[in-house]
Amino acid sequence: MNAITEALKLGTQEHGVLRFITAGSVDDGKSTLIGRLLFESKGIFADQLAAISKAKNKRTAGDTIDFSLLTDGLEAEREQGITIDVAYRYFATPVRKFIVADTPGHEQYTRNMVTGASTADVAIVLVDITRVAFEKGEEGLKATLLAQTKRHSAIAGKLGIPAILFAVNKMDLVDFDQEKFIATEKAVRELAVTVGVQEALVLPISALTGDNVVTASPKTPWYTGQPLLPILENIPSRADRAEAAHKVGFRFPVQLVARHDGHKADDFRGYMGRVEGGSVKVGDTVVVHPSGQNAVVSRIVFLNEDLPEALLGQCVTLVLDRDVDVSRGDQIVSSVDTVSHTPVRALTADICWLDNEPLNPARKYWIKQTTRQTQAKIKSVNQVLDIHTLLHGESTKTVQMNDIAQIELVLAQPIVADLYTECRATGSFILIDSATNQTVAAGMIVAKQ
């Protein structure tokens, strides 16, 4: 039984804030769905409703509210009827608080979708059923999904978003046709398996009319699952899954070395950062990389208080029992971790290429992983994902914007890295073009040498 089904059965358990994104192809109804959720949860002020009701670019007839205008704040977005930038909104129900990112559906803005997805607990992938291609065959109706639906699902799978809700939208435009929904559901579930999504739910909705968004729709009596909002209220967040998601021990990338009263005999020297894996207690023996020196944690300082222990996600200052060579970019780890933390110079990683210019192995790139930055050379491109067939193409030296590829990197200096599946913070990175200072790729480590 997966975590979604189990959580929905429990129903009453308390969860923390849920961060989710809406993804899918352009004009699939992502912004409209968020607007509907904000409206139904009373998260819209009266003056906001009045303003969008009179908006010159609204795309609904008569007095019907165009909910997409609530998140499409840029004038260019309203004129073109598309989302360009990532828009974050906040709303709450009596059960839970939510942070939702409305990400662009257009292929040109896939990089913005990656940004929004990188911190999400759940992804809602919208599937516009009016744009699904149906074909009659011997085994019944067969559905073919849009390429952008496949791309966003693949990115969500690569980023390790633990659960994806596939919302088959605009069911009102096909008269809530059960046969078309079943064919679409089958295609979606095959896609989820192919791109490695851990848990997937498929539900029929109409964001515009509100069917199956907050309450069950009488127009889909054949759908026995819950509407969208109750699912979101009970689905586990990453924090709920943290214990299982982090398989590594203590990880502490140093952001800043704090010195106070350095001229005095009892001067203070601490190392500031965020606990990205495991936990640490006063008295624990740690290893400082890349020097490999051992030390014992003598104090854990949070603001003006001393703590006995620092947990995952806490920002603290560590004080060690001896003077060791530590600077920004170094990493303090547990000395008894069963997962190897030996610094490495070579990595294999899945990347999403974000730059207009294609990948060029001859160029110099910087890799930024946690607080450490060093030069990186792209040794080889192992494979590129064909987004239409979801198969890996022939080895090539060229990776274009929005491509998903697997590459091998050689680093100028060693870094402490983990696999992305073991720890997201120390298993991810960005690549920066050294000539333009543009971020050109987001990467997830799949192997280290």
Side-chain angles (χ1 to χ4, degrees), residues 35-58:
R36 168 63 67 178
L37 288 170
L38 293 171
F39 178 75
E40 297 288 353
S41 62
K42 314 297 182 189
I44 306 173
F45 294 111
D47 60 333
Q48 287 179 300
L49 271 179
I52 63 173
S53 298
K54 300 173 183 175
K56 64 179 181 181
N57 294 315
K58 79 188 201 84

Side-chain angles (χ1 to χ4, degrees), residues 264-330:
K264 296 181 180 178
D266 58 345
D267 63 318
F268 178 89
R269 183 184 179 92
Y271 309 105
M272 306 173 76
R274 185 176 185 270
V275 180
E276 300 291 6
S279 61
V280 67
K281 295 179 181 177
V282 173
D284 283 354
T285 301
V286 295
V287 182
V288 180
H289 284 304
S291 66
Q293 299 175 83
N294 282 7
V296 175
V297 177
S298 59
R299 291 179 64 192
I300 299 173
V301 183
F302 176 70
L303 298 179
N304 293 322
E305 297 180 7
D306 275 30
L307 302 177
E309 183 179 13
L311 304 175
L312 178 68
Q314 281 189 299
C315 296
V316 296
T317 301
L318 300 184
V319 180
L320 305 181
D321 68 333
R322 68 201 73 171
D323 288 336
V324 292
D325 182 11
V326 183
S327 59
R328 174 181 166 81
D330 290 352

